[in-house]
Amino acid sequence: MIPEGASYYLSWRLAVEANNVRAWRTVPSQCLRYVEAYMRGGQYDRDLDLIVDQVLSYIKEIDPSDDGMDAWILDVDDTCISNLLYYREKRYGCDPFDPAGFTAWALKGGCQAIPAVLGLFNNLVQNGFKVFLITGRDQETLGQVTSDNLHEQGFIGYERLILKTAGFKGQSSLAYKSEIRRRLEKEGYRIWGNVGDQWSDLQGDCLGNRTFKLPNPMYFVP
């Protein structure tokens, strides 16, 4: 029998991942130890491995052209690189989001690569896809440190790292990323796939041929 607390957590996480719970600000406090166990106990990594296996199977079905316009989009935070150590100090999302605290963390440039996604990234580059990394991080404040962090963690060979500029100030992540994808398609790129840990990465306009949602029970980005 599943303990009552664990049962609630499993139901809550399923609802979150299915996007049935929206605009939530914090993880319910009764879920704290279960989120910690999920993120650090191996199940999160196993879930990532299964999803990436599905992505790799899909990639095998694609026959890239030789015009250099076959593209993939990857989110950055908690898709390519992990903020788990930061969120550990924020009780795995039970504490409210702290913009200044997160910026201070990101400025350290200490995010670790998510191994399954790094492997996916290398596969895409090796197969000739143009990989675009799109993040809601601020270009002016975090542009260089994010580029350096990604490079140090092995994300080398992507086509472009796109960060949020002043022109998108106040826009939701969904609206911002939709516009970036629209611009890429206008440049002539064919977006074969789009990978992210937030539904706002995967909704809106110009989504690409397929989207793949990675798990993240720690926070919600509209």
Side-chain angles (χ1 to χ4, degrees):
M1 174 178 277
I2 300 175
E4 182 177 351
S7 180
Y8 175 79
Y9 160 70
L10 291 170
S11 296
W12 178 81
R13 186 167 69 84
L14 175 62
V16 164
E17 295 298 353
N19 203 30
N20 292 322
V21 178
R22 299 185 182 183
W24 51 279
R25 294 183 178 276
T26 58
V27 173
S29 58
Q30 62 264 45
C31 295
L32 169 58
R33 65 189 182 98
Y34 300 106
V35 174
E36 179 179 16
Y38 172 72
M39 295 300 298
R40 300 182 66 86
Q43 188 59 52
Y44 169 71
D45 296 310
R46 289 188 288 271
D47 289 350
L48 286 174
D49 288 341
L50 188 148
I51 294 166
V52 168
D53 282 347
Q54 296 301 308
V55 182
L56 294 173
S57 294
Y58 166 59
I59 291 170
K60 292 178 181 178
E61 301 172 3
I62 304 171
D63 183 18
S65 69
D66 57 4
D67 63 2
M69 302 304 287
D70 293 301
W72 272 76
I73 291 173
L74 302 182
D75 172 52
V76 173
D77 284 298
D78 296 298
T79 296
C80 291
I81 51 178
S82 173
N83 294 297
L84 181 58
L85 294 179
Y86 170 78
Y87 277 95
R88 181 182 64 185
E89 303 305 314
K90 299 296 182 180
R91 299 194 306 144
Y92 298 95
C94 290
D95 293 342
F97 181 62
D98 173 12
F102 181 79
T103 298
W105 154 258
L107 283 169
K108 296 177 182 177
C111 296
Q112 298 295 304
I114 294 177
V117 179
L118 179 58
L120 168 61
F121 170 84
N122 287 329
N123 182 287
L124 290 167
V125 172
Q126 290 164 9
N127 279 284
F129 292 99
K130 304 297 185 182
V131 180
F132 293 87
L133 307 183
I134 304 179
T135 174
R137 291 186 176 199
D138 177 66
Q139 167 74 52
E140 183 177 356
T141 308
L142 297 174
Q144 189 60 55
V145 71
T146 301
S147 175
D148 292 344
N149 194 169
L150 287 162
H151 190 275
E152 289 167 1
Q153 291 300 311
F155 289 90
I156 299 169
Y158 53 80
E159 184 68 11
R160 201 181 307 167
L161 170 64
I162 302 172
L163 297 97
K164 203 169 189 179
T165 59
F168 291 102
K169 185 177 181 179
Q171 288 194 18
S172 68
S173 179
L174 191 154
Y176 155 63
K177 292 193 173 185
S178 289
E179 175 60 20
I180 295 299
R181 294 190 301 265
R182 186 192 68 79
R183 293 180 184 184
L184 291 176
E185 288 195 347
K186 191 174 181 180
E187 291 178 34
Y189 288 102
R190 296 176 294 274
I191 302 173
W192 285 98
N194 182 4
V195 182
D197 68 296
Q198 298 292 316
W199 280 104
S200 53
D201 299 329
L202 310 173
Q203 293 179 324
D205 301 326
C206 307
L207 295 174
N209 198 51
R210 281 196 67 176
T211 61
F212 296 88
K213 171 71 169 66
L214 304 185
N216 186 344
M218 299 186 295
Y219 62 87
F220 176 90
V221 178

